[in-house]
């Protein structure tokens, strides 16, 4: 993500540009900060999109038949993904498809990262805080500190994080 030139290597400049784009996308009201207003606007936008997907006949209501059809389509997609994983020899270690990495909490990993970005604790993330957090994540993955993150560095970081998660007490 963020590899603008598509060469498989993410530079610090590309990471910074991607963070700028992501911040602009998340800043729903364009006020230069991420706060509860932006989260509420994004949630409302997602709910409206979901309603549009479910309301197949576009009558402004979701019938039981539309609901059941959507559930059947989701189940079929889930089964298809599972079959593809099995063919590829992959496992998803017993996690539900829609909840991977989230440990059952809405907002999951992304919200946790945003919380860490709020360095002054005011429940608002400025663009500077967002950039600082994004570049800190980049720097933590850039093992050899050459200003580039390779596929090997991403893989090593991912494996280290998995190992770290495996060492956490069950209460977390």
């Amino acid at each position: 993500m963020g590899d603008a030139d598509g060469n498989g290597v993410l530079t610090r400049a590309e990471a910074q540009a991607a963070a700028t784009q992501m911040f602009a996308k998340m800043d729903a009201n364009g006020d230069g900060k991420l706060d509860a207003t932006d989260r509420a606007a994004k949630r409302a936008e997602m709910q409206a999109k979901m309603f549009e997907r479910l309301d197949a006949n576009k009558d402004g209501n979701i019938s039981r038949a539309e609901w059941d059809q959507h559930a059947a389509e989701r189940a079929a997609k889930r089964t298809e993904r599972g079959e593809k994983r099995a063919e590829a020899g992959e496992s998803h270690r017993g996690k539900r498809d829609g909840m991977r990495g989230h440990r059952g909490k809405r907002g999951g990993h992304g919200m946790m990262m945003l919380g860490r970005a709020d360095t002054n604790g005011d429940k608002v993330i400025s663009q500077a805080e967002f950039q600082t957090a994004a570049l800190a994540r980049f720097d933590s993955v850039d093992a050899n500190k050459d200003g580039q993150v390779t596929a090997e560095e991403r893989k090593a970081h991912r494996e280290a994080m998995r190992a770290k998660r495996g060492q956490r007490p069950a209460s977390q």
Side-chain angles (χ1 to χ4, degrees):
M1 188 167 129
D3 180 17
D5 58 12
N7 67 354
V9 175
L10 180 68
T11 65
R12 200 165 201 280
E14 287 173 326
Q16 189 168 8
T20 299
Q21 286 180 315
M22 181 58 71
F23 184 89
K25 183 177 176 182
M26 294 172 72
D27 185 12
N29 59 8
D31 65 356
K33 61 186 179 185
L34 303 178
D35 56 17
T37 304
D38 295 301
R39 287 189 297 278
K42 284 294 180 186
R43 190 176 314 109
E45 179 183 326
M46 289 172 53
Q47 288 172 340
K49 285 180 182 179
M50 176 57 82
F51 187 89
E52 286 296 314
R53 279 196 305 268
L54 292 174
D55 186 16
N57 64 4
K58 308 300 179 210
D59 68 352
N61 295 299
I62 299 171
S63 68
R64 179 68 184 189
E66 289 169 324
W67 182 263
D68 290 344
Q69 178 63 34
H70 176 73
E73 289 169 2
R74 284 190 61 199
K77 285 181 184 178
R78 191 176 303 121
T79 299
E80 183 181 330
R81 281 193 306 266
E83 290 169 356
K84 285 182 181 178
R85 278 193 201 104
E87 288 172 11
E90 297 175 10
S91 167
H92 62 133
R93 298 175 304 281
K95 294 179 183 176
R96 291 179 45 209
D97 284 352
M99 299 301 283
R100 272 189 306 204
H102 294 278
R103 291 189 172 71
K105 297 177 183 172
R106 292 257 169 179
H109 182 70
M111 288 297 152
M112 179 178 67
M113 297 305 273
L114 287 177
R116 289 182 185 164
D118 183 14
T119 55
N120 61 5
D122 65 354
K123 305 231 184 293
V124 173
I125 300 168
S126 68
Q127 188 161 9
E129 287 174 317
F130 191 86
Q131 283 281 341
T132 299
L135 294 177
R137 284 189 307 274
F138 176 89
D139 292 341
S140 73
V141 179
D142 184 13
N144 63 3
K145 306 302 178 206
D146 66 352
Q148 299 181 5
V149 173
T150 63
E152 294 79 20
E153 287 173 314
R154 282 191 302 276
K155 183 178 178 185
H157 185 262
R158 210 171 23 253
E159 290 171 1
M161 294 306 291
R162 283 185 184 138
K164 185 177 177 181
R165 276 194 310 265
Q167 295 172 356
R168 287 186 188 159
S171 64
Q172 286 187 343

